[in-house]
Amino acid sequence: MPREKETTVATDQEVERAAELLVEAEYAIALTGAGMSVESGIPPFRGPGGLWTKYGEPPMNGFQIFLADPKKAWEERLSRQDDELFAPLRTAKPNPGHFALSELEAMGLLHFVITQNVDDLHRQAGQVALGEIHGNFKLIRCLECGERFKWDEVILEELPPHCPRCRGLLKSDTVSFGEPIPTDVLDQCAAHASRADLVIVAGTSATVYPAAGFAIEVKEHGGKLIEVNLYESEITQLCDVSLRGGAAVVLPRLVKAAAKRRHTTLS
Ligand code: APR
């Protein structure tokens, strides 16, 4: 992954240019990653301070390991409630970056958010049109019927737990490496990406597919990409504007510039 020493923060001209593209877009969407929630106290996976940087990437066959012994996997999952991955998830709150994206939605400038984050923070920031492509840590999903349940709706006395509706095997809704993305959310994300003419790519290394592929697909069919990232990422070279800086700082600036620009074009 390209790694550059943190350089300058996005200039006003760059933010203006991004706002111009956003206001002109017919159907803008966003693709977000772990960098969105760093300023909410949740570490990223890769790069400086990344969990995988610290502990190494988890096994790429995490899902097969789960299926091989779901009881053991559940015991392991329940024993990790307070570790470095899950503890911050429970206490984190949305930051101004999350609220900026829900504000763009309310302004009618953003039509959907594809997030790779399982932290529920976009939802807590009031984002309505949202696809959690890697699941949500607050939910449990049935591997048979696909139904999702809140943790307090599932009896965890007997492990592995089974679906209250179809008795299918239940798993945390968070998508493990090697696990197929649930078709309902995948189809939803693909549908919005196929309509999009602009993607705000915020806080992602753009190294994991199919998520990163949606932004590349929009670029390939003539759309625009606006990146918000502290550093260069795998997709920076494809972006029309790449705004350096923290998502919680840069996205509110983008909203302000877009609101001003739209106001001038409407008046
Ligand atoms: N603001 C904006 N960007 C940031 C910030 C910040 N405050 N802090 C870090 N970043 C950027 C990093 O430069 C990096 O490009 O966010 C990106 C985080 O990249 P990753 O840690 O790789 O996270 P992500 O892209 O979401 O990973 C994709 O990989 O491990 C799996 O399932 C996991 O959903 C995750 C997927």
Side-chain angles (χ1 to χ4, degrees):
M1 179 153 96
R3 197 41 49 240
E4 273 198 30
K5 188 75 208 64
E6 188 174 325
T7 55
T8 57
V9 170
T11 63
D12 288 345
Q13 285 73 18
E14 289 168 330
V15 174
E16 277 305 319
R17 173 68 185 134
E20 184 183 1
L21 293 175
L22 183 55
V23 169
E24 280 166 8
E26 292 294 321
Y27 202 86
I29 66 171
L31 171 67
T32 71
M36 272 298 300
S37 302
V38 166
E39 289 139 305
S40 294
I42 301 177
F45 298 100
R46 299 169 188 84
L51 285 171
W52 305 161
T53 311
K54 229 168 162 180
Y55 302 111
E57 292 243 0
M60 288 300 122
N61 62 343
F63 186 50
Q64 289 65 30
I65 293 170
F66 172 86
L67 292 177
D69 188 345
K71 181 170 186 305
K72 184 160 164 268
W74 266 101
E75 284 160 352
E76 205 257 338
R77 173 66 183 79
L78 294 174
S79 71
R80 294 186 56 193
Q81 296 289 60
D82 300 316
D83 76 2
E84 222 174 320
L85 179 64
F86 290 102
L89 288 177
R90 281 209 310 288
T91 52
K93 293 280 174 269
N95 65 53
H98 297 101
F99 289 110
L101 292 181
S102 60
E103 197 177 340
L104 285 177
E105 182 180 51
M107 290 162 67
L109 287 175
L110 190 64
H111 298 272
F112 194 73
V113 171
I114 301 173
T115 187
Q116 299 167 88
N117 301 341
V118 300
D119 57 32
D120 196 55
L121 295 182
H122 284 296
R123 206 187 278 262
Q124 290 175 38
Q127 204 77 44
V128 178
L130 175 67
E132 295 167 311
I133 198 167
H134 294 161
N136 184 311
F137 88 105
K138 288 191 171 185
L139 300 174
I140 291 174
R141 177 170 31 89
C142 174
L143 295 179
E144 294 307 317
C145 69
E147 185 78 12
R148 293 177 178 84
F149 305 89
K150 294 200 179 76
W151 279 71
D152 57 16
E153 294 172 323
V154 172
I155 299 161
L156 293 173
E157 265 78 49
E158 202 201 314
L159 297 178
H162 287 80
C163 176
R165 207 173 78 163
C166 77
R167 299 306 299 156
L169 178 60
L170 291 178
K171 180 186 167 293
S172 158
D173 184 41
T174 54
V175 176
S176 309
F177 281 111
E179 181 176 358
I181 306 278
T183 46
D184 57 349
V185 66
L186 188 62
D187 294 351
Q188 207 193 5
C189 294
H192 288 279
S194 66
R195 294 179 63 184
D197 59 353
L198 183 143
V199 186
I200 298 172
V201 183
T204 181
S205 56
T207 51
V208 172
Y209 288 74
F214 291 123
I216 294 166
E217 180 200 316
V218 170
K219 182 72 184 177
E220 279 167 359
H221 66 224
K224 303 282 186 214
L225 301 183
I226 296 170
E227 180 174 45
V228 176
N229 199 312
L230 273 179
Y231 304 106
E232 281 207 359
S233 74
E234 288 293 328
I235 206 166
T236 302
Q237 299 316 317
L238 284 180
C239 292
D240 299 270
V241 185
S242 188
L243 304 174
R244 277 296 152 274
V249 175
V250 174
L251 286 170
R253 288 175 62 198
L254 180 59
V255 172
K256 214 153 149 249
K260 205 166 100 241
R261 177 167 287 275
R262 196 160 70 158
H263 183 69
T264 23
T265 46
L266 291 177
S267 53

